[in-house]
Amino acid sequence: MTAHHEQSTASSPVSTVSAEDARIAPKPRLRRFHQASWDEDLIFDLGSPGERGVLVPRPDPSLTPPEIPAALRRAEPPALPEMAQQQVLRHYLRLSQENLGADLNIDVGQGTCTMKYSPKVNDQFVRDPRIAALHPLQDEDTVQGVLGIVHALEQLLKEISGMDRVSLQPGAGSAAIYANVAMIRAYFEARGELDQRDEVITTIFSHPSNAACAKTAGFKVITLHPDADGYPDIEALKAAVGPRTAALLITNPEDTGIYNPRIEEFVRIVHEAGGLCSYDQANANGILGITRARDAGFDLCHFNLHKTFSTPHACGGPAAGACAVTAELAPYLPRPTVEFDGTTYRIDDDRPESVGKMRPFLGVVPNLVRAYAWIMSLGAEGLRAAAETAVLNNNYLLHKVRQIPGVSVPYAEGRPRVEQVRYSWQQLYEDTGVHSEELGLRAADFGTHYWTSHHPYVVPEPMTLEPTESYTRADLDEYAAILTEVAREAYESPETVRTAPHRSTVHRARPESLEDPATWAVSWRAYRRKILGEGLR
Amino acid sequence: MSSRIGLVVNPVAGLGGRVGLGGTDGPQVLQRARELGAEPLAGVRAALALREVRARLAAAAPTRHAGTSAPRLLTAAGEMGAEAAASADLDARIVYGAGALPAEGGTSAADTVAAVRAIAAEGVDLLLFAGGDGTARDVLAALEAFGGRPPCPVLGVPTGVKMHSAVFAVSARAAGEAAAAWLRRDGGVRLRDAEVMDRDDDGVRDGRVASRLYGWLPVPDVPVRVQQRKTGSTAPVPEAFGGIAAEVAERVGDGLLFLGPGTTTRAVAAELGAETSLTGVDVLALSPGKPARVLLADASEEALLGAGPAWIAVSPIGGQGFLLGRGNQQISPRVLRACGGRERLLVLCTEAKLAALGGRPLLLDTGDETLDAELAGHVPVVTGRRSTSLYRVTR
Ligand SMILES: Cc1ncc(COP(=O)(O)O)c(C=O)c1O
């Protein structure tokens, strides 16, 4: 370049770089993703004594220790890392580069999780001091705005579900399912029927949290397997219901993306036996504005605001769930609720029949703000358009993936799916010995990934894809092209797939380590105690 | 340090299938199969499995050790193993039949038994055998001669016609994969006892195929269906047995239990504090808070009828999901009726094993049409404490 500059004169500004050299290099058909690898230490091992990021002001000398309650005073300062700002920023940027997050990849492979775009403008609302600086113990009169948002969000979700009241307390979908089961228990207890009604019915392709929450709440669980056509088995339901039935907890569409065409009949059969019906709508993304839980006869339902309503999943929490119920069950809703008398909003914590709190205070308020903003930005027509686009995207991708050799779409074969599909690579496995997990890992070399399914694998060699409305046709074409390539490799050079990923920071995680609570270390303190074997107080 | 694999190929296994004969048990059937132009497959499949083992062990080895990762093979001469080893490019030590093996196609069940004995006596980490149900029975017989627990785990490379036994991998490749995982000892691969079954010696009865349970062999249990957990996954298997046992104890209370054969029932009995017989039906006395007592081991139909009404616990047998009529014929229609029929029948199965049926229904073959009809439909399967799955069961 320097040489070119020397040659050029003021009178001839024309570059001598050829058009060919100046052209941006053509890109390969598929991305060659390469994850950064920083070998970064834990933040607790970084920094040095006395290093500072901010100078914290000395406490006001007038604030003598006795004014701070003894229980809140530390004997010793906390063992925090000591680092300057730039080093902290660099540390976390590096970690973020060793990740394949939702904002970075075509994240359609996390089926059942509804990884839609979470609008960044909504984060700005949440960071606004009018939200961020609020304290949960502030007087009601000073937080009318945020109470108004919580109340308005309840009204919106009532309309979306058809139900009479909504609680926004739960911190996730499973917490919302648990709240619903707790309400079912309280309802039968109040009627003196709890001893008799101790069974909850669910289906194998309903999310496993339904069975888990029912058991946690003390119910026996009966799981229905699909009928010969792959649909939820109505004959099995008839065999299962009876005077012991407390409730049906069911996901629909199920985790396979199959919509239960007899859902109203399911509800009727359970109602006739005297049970309640609770609809797991964690993922309502394919049916927003199209069907409502109430219209199918359900007594309760729940939503995951971090799926359908775009708020972040927050790595397992805190996210946000919403329980919606009929008037009959409303007294049992988690407390507190937000009430409005036409002029002021009020927190009602005096609800004697309530099942109690699911989270402290009002729940995860930042996510309620985000969900409210998302719904208001779309409006009723927008919600329906989102659902229709999600279904269209899913069936477009289904059409493309189905053509890849080695893949099949078991259960209710040949039927369309709603918003997600559980595929099977069984044929490919039989032909090549390559497992679905291995294909998913190889996809990481092209900048994406996928998830298989819950356990146990009822669909063999599973892959669950859910494209949502956020992805463009080009995105879906790229995703399908990646799967096609990875499947081709499985047939032609299986070793490449088996030893993947080749361009990621962590080669493979050992699944066993996830199974042994003794090795889980979710904090520095736990890591030192459990892994380093240091005796901590 | 490389691992030691034994290999025994039954060169004639599967010959009958291609030409429409049921199997190749007995010299006449074999002769006929050859006349019909059947081609041996077992060696080809065995070599495929060995190549898979080799590739997987090499891929797992640290690069500088890749050269030493190849397993050491102990096998029999010629088509009983040496040829397959050679075609998979593996060095093998011949411990049976060198110089003395009958001419091609002349080997018999006795050769399988002798080869397995010779290999097991040398000590191997795993014995691979290629064949069908008949071969599995020969392997079982050979290892039983050692007394006590079989001296080594085994794994079947499926090449036979009849494969009712659960000791086989689903394909030759899958056998190689499971073998490599076991030999690497990584990922906590456990052993499980798998059924050796074969068609009844009486052959076909009343127009139906009946099969018998001959025993159990330890096989590597490679959890290909239980990797990559997400929250909400089901409990690992040992916990599941504890849950099933707790449920059985609650249902039976203070009472008698007829416990059918099966890995599930045996594990459940162990959780209840009783050691039960391998292949038989045992009569247990249960009492809350106390270990279960075995009143009668390996009871016959008559003994069960004499023991009086009891709860009956069975588990699906073998790969196909037979609930009644395979391996547990002692629990006859008379016994079932005397105990109170379906009201007293507990079907035990982990969720994982149920899922492995791939949606296929459970099967009944009690030999009593009326009883089968009564039991058909949906059966509650106990999958854990306070957990059942309603599952389809057909005749
Ligand atoms: C259908 C369904 N129900 C419930 C849940 C549980 O939600 P969460 O993960 O927020 O607890 C999920 C999430 O995976 C789901 O897909």
Side-chain angles (χ1 to χ4, degrees), chain B residues 79-124:
Chain B
E79 35 172 16
M80 280 193 71
E83 287 172 11
S87 105
D89 250 345
L90 280 172
D91 289 335
R93 188 148 73 80
I94 312 297
V95 296
Y96 175 76
L101 210 59
E104 186 166 321
T107 56
S108 69
D111 289 303
T112 304
V113 172
V116 170
R117 267 196 211 143
I119 291 168
E122 295 270 339
V124 285

Coordinates of all heavy atoms in Angstrom, one line a residue, chain B residues 79-124:
Chain B
E79 N -13.0 -69.4 9.6 CA -14.3 -68.7 9.5 C -14.9 -68.5 10.9 O -15.9 -67.8 11.0 CB -15.2 -69.3 8.5 CG -15.2 -70.8 8.5 CD -16.3 -71.4 7.6 OE1 -16.9 -70.7 6.9 OE2 -16.5 -72.6 7.8
M80 N -14.3 -69.1 11.9 CA -14.9 -68.9 13.2 C -14.3 -67.6 13.9 O -14.6 -67.3 15.1 CB -14.6 -70.1 14.1 CG -15.6 -71.2 13.9 SD -15.6 -72.5 15.2 CE -16.3 -71.6 16.6
G81 N -13.5 -66.9 13.2 CA -13.0 -65.6 13.7 C -11.8 -65.0 13.1 O -11.7 -63.9 12.8
A82 N -10.8 -65.9 12.8 CA -9.5 -65.4 12.2 C -9.8 -64.6 10.9 O -9.1 -63.6 10.7 CB -8.6 -66.6 12.0
E83 N -10.6 -65.2 10.1 CA -10.9 -64.5 8.8 C -11.5 -63.1 9.0 O -11.1 -62.1 8.3 CB -11.8 -65.3 7.9 CG -11.1 -66.5 7.4 CD -12.0 -67.5 6.7 OE1 -13.2 -67.1 6.4 OE2 -11.6 -68.6 6.4
A84 N -12.4 -63.0 9.9 CA -13.0 -61.7 10.1 C -12.0 -60.7 10.7 O -11.9 -59.5 10.3 CB -14.2 -61.8 11.1
A85 N -11.1 -61.2 11.6 CA -10.1 -60.4 12.2 C -9.2 -59.9 11.1 O -8.8 -58.7 11.0 CB -9.3 -61.2 13.2
A86 N -8.8 -60.8 10.2 CA -7.9 -60.4 9.1 C -8.6 -59.3 8.2 O -7.9 -58.3 7.8 CB -7.5 -61.6 8.3
S87 N -9.8 -59.5 7.9 CA -10.5 -58.6 7.0 C -10.7 -57.2 7.7 O -10.9 -56.2 7.1 CB -11.7 -59.1 6.4 OG -12.9 -58.6 7.0
A88 N -10.6 -57.2 9.1 CA -10.7 -55.9 9.8 C -9.3 -55.4 10.1 O -9.1 -54.4 10.8 CB -11.5 -56.1 11.0
D89 N -8.3 -56.1 9.6 CA -6.9 -55.6 9.7 C -6.4 -55.6 11.2 O -5.7 -54.8 11.6 CB -6.8 -54.2 9.2 CG -5.9 -54.1 8.0 OD1 -5.3 -55.2 7.7 OD2 -6.0 -53.1 7.3
L90 N -6.9 -56.6 11.9 CA -6.5 -56.7 13.3 C -5.7 -58.0 13.5 O -6.0 -59.1 13.0 CB -7.7 -56.8 14.2 CG -8.4 -55.5 14.5 CD1 -9.7 -55.8 15.3 CD2 -7.5 -54.6 15.4
D91 N -4.6 -57.9 14.3 CA -3.8 -59.1 14.6 C -4.6 -59.9 15.6 O -5.3 -59.4 16.5 CB -2.5 -58.7 15.3 CG -1.6 -58.1 14.2 OD1 -1.8 -58.4 13.0 OD2 -0.7 -57.3 14.6
A92 N -4.6 -61.2 15.4 CA -5.4 -62.1 16.4 C -4.5 -63.2 16.8 O -3.7 -63.7 16.1 CB -6.7 -62.5 15.7
R93 N -4.8 -63.7 18.0 CA -4.1 -64.9 18.5 C -5.2 -66.0 18.4 O -6.3 -65.8 18.9 CB -3.7 -64.7 19.9 CG -2.8 -65.8 20.5 CD -1.8 -65.3 21.5 NE -2.4 -64.9 22.8 CZ -2.8 -65.7 23.7 NH1 -2.6 -67.1 23.5 NH2 -3.3 -65.3 24.8
I94 N -4.9 -67.1 17.8 CA -5.8 -68.2 17.7 C -5.7 -69.1 18.9 O -4.7 -69.7 19.2 CB -5.5 -69.0 16.4 CG1 -5.3 -68.1 15.2 CG2 -6.6 -70.0 16.2 CD1 -6.4 -67.3 14.8
V95 N -6.8 -69.1 19.7 CA -6.8 -70.0 20.8 C -7.6 -71.2 20.7 O -7.7 -72.0 21.6 CB -7.2 -69.2 22.1 CG1 -6.2 -68.1 22.4 CG2 -8.6 -68.7 22.0
Y96 N -8.3 -71.4 19.6 CA -9.1 -72.6 19.4 C -9.1 -73.0 17.9 O -9.2 -72.1 17.0 CB -10.5 -72.4 19.8 CG -11.4 -73.6 19.5 CD1 -11.3 -74.8 20.3 CD2 -12.2 -73.6 18.4 CE1 -12.0 -75.9 19.9 CE2 -13.0 -74.7 18.1 CZ -12.9 -75.9 18.9 OH -13.6 -77.0 18.5
G97 N -8.9 -74.2 17.7 CA -9.1 -74.8 16.3 C -7.9 -74.6 15.3 O -8.1 -75.0 14.2
A98 N -6.8 -74.1 15.8 CA -5.7 -74.0 14.9 C -5.3 -75.3 14.4 O -4.9 -76.2 15.1 CB -4.5 -73.3 15.6
G99 N -5.4 -75.5 13.1 CA -5.0 -76.8 12.5 C -6.1 -77.9 12.7 O -6.0 -78.9 12.0
A100 N -7.0 -77.7 13.5 CA -8.0 -78.8 13.8 C -9.4 -78.5 13.5 O -10.3 -79.3 13.8 CB -7.8 -79.3 15.2
L101 N -9.7 -77.4 12.9 CA -11.1 -77.0 12.6 C -11.6 -77.8 11.4 O -10.9 -78.0 10.5 CB -11.1 -75.5 12.3 CG -12.4 -74.8 12.7 CD1 -12.6 -74.9 14.2 CD2 -12.2 -73.3 12.3
P102 N -12.8 -78.2 11.5 CA -13.4 -78.9 10.4 C -13.4 -78.1 9.1 O -13.3 -76.8 9.2 CB -14.9 -79.2 10.8 CG -14.9 -79.0 12.3 CD -13.8 -78.1 12.6
A103 N -13.5 -78.7 8.0 CA -13.5 -77.9 6.8 C -14.6 -76.9 6.7 O -15.6 -77.0 7.5 CB -13.7 -78.9 5.6
E104 N -14.5 -76.0 5.8 CA -15.5 -74.9 5.7 C -16.9 -75.3 5.8 O -17.3 -76.3 5.2 CB -15.3 -74.1 4.4 CG -16.2 -72.9 4.3 CD -15.7 -72.0 3.1 OE1 -14.5 -71.9 2.9 OE2 -16.6 -71.5 2.5
G105 N -17.6 -74.7 6.7 CA -19.0 -75.0 6.9 C -19.3 -76.2 7.7 O -20.4 -76.6 8.0
G106 N -18.2 -76.9 8.2 CA -18.4 -78.1 9.0 C -18.4 -77.9 10.5 O -18.6 -78.8 11.2
T107 N -18.3 -76.6 10.9 CA -18.3 -76.4 12.4 C -19.7 -76.6 13.0 O -20.7 -76.4 12.3 CB -17.8 -75.0 12.7 OG1 -18.6 -74.1 12.0 CG2 -16.3 -74.8 12.3
S108 N -19.7 -76.8 14.3 CA -21.0 -77.1 14.9 C -21.1 -76.3 16.2 O -20.1 -75.6 16.6 CB -21.1 -78.6 15.2 OG -20.2 -78.9 16.2
A109 N -22.2 -76.5 16.9 CA -22.4 -75.8 18.2 C -21.3 -76.2 19.1 O -20.9 -75.4 19.9 CB -23.8 -76.2 18.7
A110 N -20.8 -77.4 19.1 CA -19.8 -77.9 20.0 C -18.5 -77.0 19.8 O -17.8 -76.7 20.7 CB -19.5 -79.3 19.8
D111 N -18.3 -76.7 18.5 CA -17.1 -75.8 18.3 C -17.3 -74.4 18.9 O -16.4 -73.9 19.5 CB -16.9 -75.6 16.8 CG -16.4 -76.9 16.1 OD1 -15.3 -77.4 16.6 OD2 -17.1 -77.5 15.2
T112 N -18.5 -73.9 18.8 CA -18.8 -72.6 19.4 C -18.5 -72.7 20.9 O -17.8 -71.8 21.5 CB -20.2 -72.1 19.2 OG1 -20.5 -72.1 17.8 CG2 -20.5 -70.8 19.8
V113 N -19.1 -73.7 21.6 CA -18.9 -73.8 23.0 C -17.4 -74.0 23.4 O -16.9 -73.3 24.3 CB -19.7 -75.1 23.5 CG1 -19.4 -75.4 25.0 CG2 -21.2 -74.8 23.3
A114 N -16.7 -74.8 22.6 CA -15.3 -75.0 23.0 C -14.5 -73.7 22.7 O -13.6 -73.4 23.5 CB -14.7 -76.1 22.1
A115 N -14.8 -73.0 21.7 CA -14.0 -71.8 21.4 C -14.3 -70.7 22.5 O -13.4 -70.1 23.0 CB -14.5 -71.2 20.0
V116 N -15.5 -70.6 22.9 CA -15.9 -69.6 23.9 C -15.1 -70.0 25.2 O -14.6 -69.2 25.9 CB -17.4 -69.6 24.2 CG1 -17.7 -68.8 25.4 CG2 -18.1 -69.0 23.0
R117 N -15.1 -71.3 25.5 CA -14.4 -71.7 26.7 C -13.0 -71.4 26.7 O -12.4 -70.9 27.6 CB -14.6 -73.2 26.9 CG -15.7 -73.5 27.8 CD -15.7 -74.9 28.3 NE -17.1 -75.3 28.4 CZ -17.5 -76.5 28.2 NH1 -16.7 -77.5 27.7 NH2 -18.8 -76.8 28.3
A118 N -12.3 -71.7 25.5 CA -10.9 -71.4 25.4 C -10.6 -69.9 25.6 O -9.6 -69.5 26.2 CB -10.4 -71.9 24.1
I119 N -11.4 -69.1 25.0 CA -11.2 -67.6 25.0 C -11.4 -67.1 26.4 O -10.6 -66.4 27.0 CB -12.1 -66.9 24.0 CG1 -11.7 -67.2 22.6 CG2 -12.1 -65.4 24.3 CD1 -12.7 -66.8 21.5
A120 N -12.5 -67.5 27.0 CA -12.8 -67.0 28.4 C -11.8 -67.5 29.4 O -11.5 -66.8 30.3 CB -14.2 -67.5 28.8
A121 N -11.2 -68.7 29.2 CA -10.2 -69.2 30.1 C -8.9 -68.3 30.0 O -8.2 -68.1 31.0 CB -9.8 -70.6 29.7
E122 N -8.7 -67.7 28.9 CA -7.5 -66.8 28.7 C -7.8 -65.5 29.4 O -6.9 -64.7 29.7 CB -7.2 -66.6 27.2 CG -6.8 -67.8 26.5 CD -5.3 -68.0 26.5 OE1 -4.6 -67.0 26.8 OE2 -4.8 -69.1 26.4
G123 N -9.1 -65.1 29.5 CA -9.4 -63.8 30.1 C -9.5 -62.7 29.0 O -8.5 -62.4 28.4
V124 N -10.7 -62.1 28.8 CA -10.8 -61.0 27.9 C -11.7 -60.0 28.6 O -12.4 -60.3 29.5 CB -11.5 -61.5 26.6 CG1 -10.5 -62.2 25.7 CG2 -12.8 -62.3 26.8

